[in-house]
Amino acid sequence: MIDLNNKNIERINTGRALCMIFVYIAHCNFYYQNHISPFYFIYKPFYLSFFFFLSGFLFFKDLDNFPYYKKIKNIACKLIWPAIVFPSLIWIPKAFAHSNEVSVYAYLIDIFGGTAAWFVSTLIIAQLLSLVLIKCFKTRLSVMLVISFVTMLSAFALHTIQPEPFPWYYKSGMIALFFLVLGGLTRKYYNFIARFISTKYLIISAVIYLGLMLYNYYYLGYFQAIMSVKYDNIPLGIVSNLLGIFFMLQLSHALPIVKWIQYIGKNSLLFYFFGGGVPLVVGQLAMRFIPFDGYLMTAIVTMLCLALLFPISYVINRYLPWLLDFSLIIKHIKS
């Protein structure tokens, strides 16, 4: 088992930042271009599964003396709380922008039913399921991985019966559980796996992964989406997820430590909460004032959105940190 020293934290932040950048690329492309290209096929299999993998790397720490109360508190205060607050703040403008129903019932279903922020809802469910596995199997991560794999396959079966995401994207969480446990298992055997993290294996993993993704784009056309619990080809989808995670693990170790990348990684959930509204607004303005098309437009809008998020996140962290952590409110009340 490894310690989370500064170098490991920096690599994790790099990985989380890369995932979040690809989230913005996907959203910026989706809101006004819907441009499908080989590039989309390349990053789609890993930019969410790798984030869940990294979350598991952090979550499955100290299994011999696992802090259940602390984990439950973090889920409640740092995930469920902001998953209610941030979507609530933009719920009405978002509803009008997407022509959704505006009513108290719709609000309650969307916010308290966990369908407003699918990624965080998925992470919440995956972490809660992880707590159950740890409670039942203690440190036996190999057993947990097998069970989480069965749980993932069960999610696909449940989707055919009940395709709706309500409540809390629980089927997506059942898929994400597998990647969380895989991250925990990687943490446990990191010293062994580190032998295969090098420039040599980065090139090998890149060739294999990119080759498979390009073949899929030009000849197969299979899609996969954790959010909608839809893998056109489940075996290929899982394999591409795993290859993408290994490739991104290599890349996160190979890239230099850059301050602004580290900042995004540290504030990845905050960047996520603005990953819908900001690309929507900036994208609409860009369509009117910037005469470009395709992925050039996507790249420009993505950079504009990320640049805009730095001051927004600074203000929230500096003056409104309680939006991200309910325990700060409790502490203030007690004092």
Side-chain angles (χ1 to χ4, degrees), residues 34-94:
N34 199 24
H35 182 63
I36 305 300
S37 76
F39 183 58
Y40 178 75
F41 271 72
I42 287 170
Y43 69 75
K44 185 170 178 57
F46 67 70
Y47 77 102
L48 295 174
S49 58
F50 187 57
F51 196 100
F52 294 129
F53 170 86
L54 293 174
S55 297
F57 194 94
L58 294 170
F59 191 85
F60 286 85
K61 180 185 178 183
D62 299 328
L63 288 180
D64 292 321
N65 188 25
F66 192 75
Y68 288 98
Y69 174 76
K70 182 179 178 180
K71 293 293 185 181
I72 294 172
K73 179 182 176 181
N74 284 342
I75 292 172
C77 295
K78 296 183 179 181
L79 288 179
I80 295 177
W81 168 250
I84 292 173
V85 172
F86 281 97
S88 294
L89 294 175
I90 63 169
W91 188 80
I92 291 179
K94 178 182 176 182

Side-chain angles (χ1 to χ4, degrees), residues 13 23 61 86 118 149 218 249 329-330 335:
N13 285 333
V23 167
K61 180 185 178 183
F86 281 97
W118 86 268
F149 183 75
Y218 287 107
L249 189 63
I329 298 177
I330 297 174
S335 64

Side-chain angles (χ1 to χ4, degrees), residues 88-237:
S88 294
L89 294 175
I90 63 169
W91 188 80
I92 291 179
K94 178 182 176 182
F96 281 120
H98 294 282
S99 300
N100 294 335
E101 176 189 352
V102 178
S103 68
V104 173
Y105 177 78
Y107 169 79
L108 293 175
I109 291 295
D110 210 22
I111 302 299
F112 293 95
T115 60
W118 86 268
F119 177 79
V120 181
S121 295
T122 296
L123 185 59
I124 290 167
I125 294 298
Q127 290 194 3
L128 289 174
L129 291 174
S130 296
L131 289 178
V132 174
L133 290 182
I134 295 170
K135 191 68 174 178
C136 293
F137 300 102
K138 308 301 181 185
T139 62
R140 299 164 63 188
L141 277 164
S142 298
V143 176
M144 296 184 207
L145 187 68
V146 172
I147 294 175
S148 66
F149 183 75
V150 174
T151 302
M152 176 171 59
L153 296 181
S154 300
F156 294 121
L158 283 170
H159 181 70
T160 63
I161 302 171
Q162 195 255 340
E164 292 78 18
F166 181 85
W168 289 88
Y169 278 90
Y170 72 95
K171 294 184 291 295
S172 299
M174 292 168 67
I175 296 175
L177 173 66
F178 173 73
F179 300 114
L180 257 75
V181 177
L182 183 65
L185 195 66
T186 300
R187 177 190 176 88
K188 182 177 181 179
Y189 296 106
Y190 180 81
N191 292 331
F192 172 78
I193 294 171
R195 303 176 188 177
F196 302 95
I197 297 177
S198 65
T199 302
K200 170 187 172 182
Y201 286 105
L202 171 61
I203 295 172
I204 292 173
S205 64
V207 169
I208 295 174
Y209 176 71
L210 297 179
L212 178 61
M213 293 305 97
L214 291 174
Y215 181 80
N216 182 33
Y217 174 75
Y218 287 107
Y219 297 102
L220 301 176
Y222 289 133
F223 275 92
Q224 55 178 299
I226 296 176
M227 181 182 75
S228 58
V229 196
K230 188 176 185 300
Y231 282 37
D232 291 342
N233 184 301
I234 293 176
L236 178 64

